[in-house]
Amino acid sequence: MTSAPTTTTTVRRVRPADAARMRALRLEMLADSPLAFLETVAEAAARPHAEYAARIAAVSRGEQTAQFVADPGGRLVGHAGGTVAPEEPGLTLIYAVYVTPAWRGSGLLGALVDEVAAWSRACGRPELMLEVVVGNDRACRAYEKLGFVDTGVRVPHPRIPNLYELQMRRPA
């Protein structure tokens, strides 16, 4: 386990001005953990900056989708998103969770999930769900420490044949 950095960070909802820093973090996320996300580094790198800017502006407000970042000043070091589950109105799906390696084990994962949970409750959705690649035991243990429980549901990975994800839930 990496020792936690000595600086502090703010966890907050993304702002339109974060687009360039969010793009840099997205590329890092995809390079570091390629099985965890639904696009490749090449696909993300090919996307024009204007598209990133539009995405970040869209998730910086509203109740349907939100993204939260860990911002120590300078480079962003963590991210978690949440979106409404159309088939379950009381549920927020957590997606694109990432903490840069130097900050892992620092409590930042919990702070990011707490922000998504607070947003979810404020939007009237009292439950959270996320999916983790089967075999990613480190992530499962981290989420269990945050109160998530394996539901026993397994779903095919959306991009990689023969790979499955397990669903975990907890109250928001």
Side-chain angles (χ1 to χ4, degrees):
M1 181 161 80
T2 306
S3 61
T6 57
T7 57
T8 60
T9 187
T10 300
V11 176
R12 60 169 174 79
R13 193 161 184 178
V14 294
R15 300 175 189 139
D18 294 326
R21 293 189 307 150
M22 190 56 222
R23 184 176 193 271
L25 182 63
R26 180 70 179 171
L27 294 174
E28 176 187 328
M29 293 162 67
L30 295 169
D32 182 70
S33 306
L35 296 180
F37 304 105
L38 302 183
E39 69 179 338
T40 66
V41 174
E43 290 166 340
R47 188 174 311 113
H49 177 73
E51 190 175 323
Y52 273 96
R55 271 188 181 184
I56 297 305
V59 297
S60 69
R61 62 193 183 291
E63 295 185 353
Q64 297 300 304
T65 302
Q67 292 183 12
F68 299 87
V69 292
D71 185 0
R75 191 168 178 87
L76 298 175
V77 297
H79 175 274
T83 191
V84 66
E87 66 286 349
E88 286 189 59
L91 180 68
T92 290
L93 301 172
I94 295 181
Y95 67 93
V97 179
Y98 180 75
V99 174
T100 199
W103 284 79
R104 291 178 187 160
S106 69
L108 197 52
L109 175 64
L112 286 160
V113 169
D114 286 348
E115 287 298 314
V116 176
W119 169 79
S120 183
R121 289 189 309 272
C123 295
R125 294 187 297 270
E127 190 174 14
L128 304 174
M129 184 185 80
L130 52 80
E131 295 174 343
V132 179
V133 171
V134 171
N136 188 346
D137 297 335
R138 182 175 185 216
C140 288
R141 284 190 306 272
Y143 291 127
E144 286 170 349
K145 287 179 185 175
L146 298 178
F148 285 89
V149 175
D150 183 347
T151 65
V153 174
R154 302 295 182 266
V155 295
H157 190 282
R159 291 189 58 130
I160 304 169
N162 302 322
L163 202 61
Y164 287 86
E165 294 182 316
L166 61 91
Q167 291 182 349
M168 301 181 86
R169 290 184 182 230
R170 74 159 228 205

